Structures are given as C-alpha cells and as structure tokens.
Amino acid sequence: MLTKVFGSAVFGVDATTITVEVNVDKGIGYHLVGLPDNAIKESNYRIAAALQNNSYKIPGKKIIINMSPADMRKEGSAYDLTLATGILVATGQIKGDAIADYIIMGELSLDGGLQPIKGALPIAITAREEGFKGFILPKQNAKEAAIVDGLCVYGVENISEVIAFFDKEVPLEQTVIDTRAEFYKSLDHPEFDFADVKGQESIKRCMEIAAAGGHNIILIGPPGSGKTMISKRLPSILPPMSLREALETTKIHSVAGRVKNNQGLMSERPFRSPHHTISNVALVGGGSYPQPGEISLSHNGVLFLDELPEFKREVLEVMRQPLEDREVTISRARFTVTYPSSFMLVASMNPSPGGYFNDPDAPVTSSPAEMQRYLGKISGPLLDRIDIHIEVTPVPFEKLSSEQKAESSVEIRKRVTAARELQVVRFRESEATNYNAQMNVKQIRTYCALDDASKQLLKTAMERLNLSARAYDRILKVARTIADLAGSETVTGMHISEAIQYRSLDRDGWLG
C-alpha cells in the first residue's frame, strides 16, 4: 500500500513542501531515500520506540520511504512525526483519509512526546499558500505558526493525539492568537528604559538622533562610563515595527530556532550582542547547511559590537557589504541563499588599550604609539559607514546619586517616530531609501541644501578641526536628521554645528 504524507524543508527564509511517500511491500527491510541526513536516517529507532510505547509498531515488512523532491538535501529531526504517521497509515494500523490535507512536522521522543522544531513560521506560510487545511506540529511551536491567518494550527504534545485525530476523529485543539494584541502588548513597557540612565544627556541626545535617522553610531569612552547600558536601551526608542517587519523578523528567528517557546509574533526589535571571539561565518551566516548569522538575527533591530577593536579584522571587514546592501548572500557550489540584514550598527570602544585617554589620574596610561596601533585596528572603510562618533565621559557622583527621574524611552520614541514619519513622506518615491542614513549623494544634495552662512560654517569647521573628506556627507546626513527632529524643513547652521560635534574619530589626535 502506498501513502503520501506532507512535511516541509526550510531553505533560506522560505519553506518547500516535502512529499513523504511510504510504500509497504512483501519482504523485510527499511529503506529511506531522498537525500536524508544522519538525523533523519536515525529516525527509525526513535519512531520504533515511540510507536511501541503507544501500543503500535513498525511491522516486519519491506518499507520504502521516499522524500520528494529526491534531489534536495533534507536535514534535521523534524520529520519523525511525518514518517511515523505515514508508516501507520501505509501499514493499515490507522485510517488516513484526511492525511493529505495537513502538513505534519515534529521530533519524537522515545515515549511518543514531541520536541520543538525550527522554521515553524515559514512552513506555515508555505502551507497556507499551497492550500493545506491545517498544520500539525509540537505545542511549543504552535503560537509561532498560528500567526498565519487562514490556516488551522494544531499544537500536539504526543503522537497518540495525532493517531486519535486521524483514526478515531478525536478533535485536536486549534491554536488561535490575536496577532495585533500580541504585537502591541509590550510596546509601552520596554525591559530596558532610558529612565534608568542617570546623567549622560548628550549621549541620550546622540542615541535619539541615531534612532531617528537610522544612523550607525560608535561610542568611545573609558570603562564604566555607561556605553553598554545606553546601547541596550536603543531598541526601546526605535519606532515600533510594522506588522510586516515583525513577521519578517520572526521568520528569521524561526529559521534559526531562536523564537522562545510559546512566543508568537516578535513585537520588540531584536538586540544582538555577539562576543568579540565570533567567527565571520557566525556573524554573516553560512556553514555547510546555511543558517542566518548575527547580522540577520538583528534584522530590523540593533547589532551591538562591544569593544570593537577586539574583534578580528577579517570579521569586521565581512560586514562592510551587508551594511551597504542590507542583505547577505551566501553562495555554495549547488545553491545560493539570501538573508535580509537591515540593521543599525552600534559599536563601543575604549579610547586606548588601557581604557583611559589623556586622563592624568588614570590607573593605566598608554603611549601615543600604542593608541594609534589600537585605533588602527578599525579600518577606514568600516568607519566610513558609521555616521556618528561620540565620546562618553563617566557620570559624576552627584548625578548618579540624584533621585530625579530621567526622560522615559516612550517619550523619546514619540519624537523619533515623528521624525521617521517625515522621512517616509520624503523618500516615498525611492525604493532603496527608507530613512536619512540611506541617502545617496544625489539625495544629499537635494534634501540637505545649505545657505551661504551654513556652508561657510561647515568649511571653517572642516579646516580648523582637520575633518576628513568622508566626514562631509556624514555631517549633512546627521544634520538632516537633527532638522527633522526639530520639525525644520531646511538644514540650518544650528543643525550643522551640532552634527559637527559627532565626528570625534575624524579629528586630529584620533585617527587623523
């Protein structure tokens, strides 16, 4: 008897339906074909134990299982439930009249319990597109898959529930979530809030500008000055994600198996902070079976690189192209996978190897040569993609011990969102540009036109502070964002003068 059951394989951030054909014939043997990996080949042991512990069995007959399309590599343990259900129907142990209406996925424990799988969301999206009636999967992934409208999602805890559903028509409990309610419930109560930060008003202002224009930013300061604390709070002032962005972000985390159990749609922007020992494959993605890297996991959110000069130079260099293109393409001999990676880069660093710069009371001092060597670890082309450089100074005791409440993230986010809305209108004709940081040279000339007084101010500043040529466009972009926050249609000298302050590393005495 031949039976067809349907599963799914995730490739990149999309899923492809896999047809599992189970044929039972006279003879003895168990043959699994269609390019399965070792985890799938070992599934017969898990399936045999799970069925036996639930009063069923793999009969001693010749069973041939084909996973179609047969030339596509299948990987992972998520096909256990698909294969087990196919074997039970093909050997006549249970009825399977409605089995073709469902995508069935899940890893089996030896007692028949189900373990969570990766990629539940893209699988559910493909199942709906291809007209399947429902999706049966482990309960831990049910909320994630239930984000998709128009598809019945059933979260199950044991194979016995699936058997009862098909054989005895015992109904399964459908998982239904209100996507909008899930999306909005945590927006006004961020875990990390700017209200907790004492002092550092100038740095908060910088973060507000960076968030409003989507600018990459680097914080330079001694240990304990609050660089990491402030950076962790940046996602809380970014504009709320649209439902499309939230779906896109959840999809990537689903593929990587990073969606928390029983979590539906991700409503908070991601914040990723990899350790400086990270490899370039772990950062940009890849591997023999490609997986999204840290830059894709921070899509629509923030990638924070603490102690930037400690990262290996080749690791930082592979980030240059994704920073420009907002996507990363991984090419192998037989296939190419593209992952989105539109993120804000926030970096922090000490100004010298000892951590202190030009401080006579510092416990550790560094020579000018040591400092130049330390700062020289960051390449010019990477620094060129960072719009704002700001020095962070330690907070004095009076401000640390102050009882005065600082401005909350929710209040700052209102101003940021208003500025972003201006940019949405400004760049509505351009597909490649969504906010000020992405402006090309032509757009800079159009939207950042200066009057004579402002031009003279910028010229004088560049000459006196010995600013590099690359600083020119960056200053104009940041000035445009400052003008948007102020609700000004034109960029004035006041906006230019503030933007000039945010180019610390271009000045003499830093990188020269």
Side-chain angles (χ1 to χ4, degrees):
M1 182 177 174
L2 175 67
T3 298
K4 291 186 180 182
V5 194
F6 296 95
S8 197
V10 178
F11 190 70
V13 289
D14 298 308
T16 303
T17 298
I18 301 295
T19 306
V20 176
E21 301 171 315
V22 184
N23 189 67
V24 180
D25 209 344
K26 292 176 184 176
I28 293 176
Y30 182 93
H31 307 282
L32 184 58
V33 295
L35 285 185
D37 72 350
N38 285 335
I40 301 173
K41 287 175 184 172
E42 292 169 351
S43 64
N44 62 320
Y45 299 108
R46 292 190 295 273
I47 292 168
L51 294 182
Q52 189 174 359
N53 288 322
N54 284 275
S55 307
Y56 292 87
K57 63 179 181 177
I58 296 180
K61 293 185 178 180
K62 185 178 181 182
I63 299 173
I64 299 172
I65 301 174
N66 177 45
M67 304 181 81
S68 171
D71 61 347
M72 180 190 286
R73 180 87 181 166
K74 324 295 184 310
E75 58 186 72
S77 53
Y79 299 99
D80 291 1
L81 186 60
T82 325
L83 299 173
T85 310
I87 289 167
L88 288 171
V89 173
T91 55
Q93 295 180 71
I94 65 169
K95 290 186 288 188
D97 302 337
I99 206 163
D101 294 335
Y102 298 88
I103 293 280
I104 304 170
M105 297 290 285
E107 177 189 333
L108 282 172
S109 295
L110 299 186
D111 63 353
L114 288 171
Q115 300 297 322
I117 62 171
K118 291 181 180 179
L121 180 55
I123 292 170
I125 291 168
T126 302
R128 181 187 63 184
E129 287 171 356
E130 296 189 358
F132 284 93
K133 183 178 176 183
F135 182 15
I136 298 170
L137 77 168
K139 196 156 198 166
Q140 297 97 314
N141 300 111
K143 265 194 166 183
E144 185 186 325
I147 294 167
V148 180
D149 295 331
L151 181 75
C152 297
V153 173
Y154 303 104
V156 293
E157 293 180 337
N158 195 289
I159 191 173
S160 57
E161 295 174 50
V162 182
I163 292 169
F165 176 65
F166 287 116
D167 195 36
K168 303 182 177 69
E169 296 182 8
V170 176
L172 291 171
E173 186 184 345
Q174 186 179 343
T175 304
V176 180
I177 62 168
D178 185 339
T179 306
R180 290 193 174 272
E182 285 273 314
F183 182 63
Y184 290 113
K185 71 180 178 185
S186 60
L187 281 182
D188 290 335
H189 304 286
E191 183 182 353
F192 298 106
D193 199 310
F194 268 99
D196 306 328
V197 181
K198 304 281 188 184
Q200 301 292 27
E201 299 308 321
S202 61
I203 313 304
K204 289 181 193 172
R205 168 71 175 165
C206 258
M207 284 296 186
E208 185 179 331
I209 293 165
H215 302 286
N216 299 324
I217 183 170
I218 184 166
L219 308 173
I220 313 126
S225 54
K227 304 186 295 293
T228 305
M229 183 184 189
I230 291 168
S231 300
K232 278 186 175 174
R233 282 154 177 75
L234 179 59
S236 69
I237 63 168
L238 287 169
M241 285 197 284
S242 64
L243 276 170
R244 183 186 60 79
E245 284 178 320
L247 196 65
E248 222 174 38
T249 306
T250 310
K251 204 172 171 183
I252 296 166
H253 284 249
S254 174
V255 168
R258 301 291 177 91
V259 177
K260 293 173 188 167
N261 283 351
N262 295 315
Q263 181 183 344
L265 197 65
M266 288 177 64
S267 56
E268 294 178 19
R269 291 185 181 272
F271 178 88
R272 305 293 303 179
S273 179
H275 193 258
H276 63 256
T277 55
I278 192 170
S279 69
N280 48 15
V281 170
L283 187 70
V284 299
S288 51
Y289 304 129
Q291 284 285 296
E294 289 291 336
I295 61 172
S296 295
L297 291 171
S298 54
H299 179 62
N300 291 324
V302 175
L303 178 68
F304 176 51
L305 302 184
D306 201 2
E307 298 306 331
L308 189 67
E310 300 298 335
F311 283 79
K312 294 195 284 286
R313 192 178 175 102
E314 66 266 23
V315 170
L316 296 177
E317 294 305 298
V318 294
M319 263 200 328
R320 281 160 50 181
Q321 179 257 338
L323 273 170
E324 290 287 319
D325 298 348
R326 303 197 300 284
E327 63 180 25
V328 59
T329 301
I330 297 154
S331 298
R332 295 288 178 269
R334 292 189 61 184
F335 57 82
T336 299
V337 178
T338 299
Y339 294 113
S341 60
S342 179
F343 60 92
M344 268 183 73
L345 175 65
V346 180
S348 77
M349 61 182 281
N350 295 326
S352 62
Y356 300 88
F357 172 59
N358 289 350
D359 184 352
D361 302 321
V364 185
T365 56
S366 304
S367 69
E370 284 177 321
M371 284 189 51
Q372 283 300 319
R373 189 162 58 248
Y374 182 73
L375 294 169
K377 289 183 180 180
I378 308 166
S379 72
L382 177 65
L383 205 58
D384 198 23
R385 289 160 172 79
I386 300 176
D387 295 350
I388 299 174
H389 316 153
I390 188 72
E391 294 167 58
V392 186
T393 52
V395 183
F397 177 78
E398 292 74 29
K399 287 193 175 176
L400 274 178
S401 57
S402 167
E403 295 297 318
Q404 190 177 345
K405 261 289 190 189
E407 191 176 22
S408 72
S409 291
V410 174
E411 291 302 311
I412 300 171
R413 190 171 65 208
K414 286 176 185 172
R415 297 195 295 270
V416 169
T417 305
R420 281 282 183 108
E421 283 167 358
L422 292 174
Q423 293 163 50
V424 168
V425 174
R426 179 180 301 138
F427 302 121
R428 62 181 178 273
E429 302 296 326
S430 171
E431 284 185 23
T433 311
N434 299 305
Y435 39 81
N436 291 337
Q438 297 172 345
M439 283 193 288
N440 57 36
V441 175
K442 186 178 177 184
Q443 288 168 328
I444 291 171
R445 301 292 172 266
T446 305
Y447 300 119
C448 306
L450 302 179
D451 57 28
D452 292 339
S454 301
K455 273 185 189 170
Q456 189 57 45
L457 173 68
L458 185 51
K459 181 185 174 190
T460 306
M462 290 192 72
E463 288 171 356
R464 286 198 184 164
L465 297 172
N466 198 26
L467 293 175
S468 65
R470 68 170 173 246
Y472 179 75
D473 283 351
R474 305 287 162 185
I475 288 170
L476 289 176
K477 285 182 182 181
V478 173
R480 179 65 267 174
T481 301
I482 295 167
D484 288 343
L485 281 167
S488 170
E489 286 189 19
T490 56
V491 178
T492 67
M494 185 173 65
H495 307 135
I496 290 289
S497 58
E498 185 179 351
I500 289 165
Q501 297 173 49
Y502 306 140
R503 294 300 298 180
S504 294
L505 290 180
D506 281 315
R507 295 181 202 151
D508 250 355
W510 286 95
L511 295 183

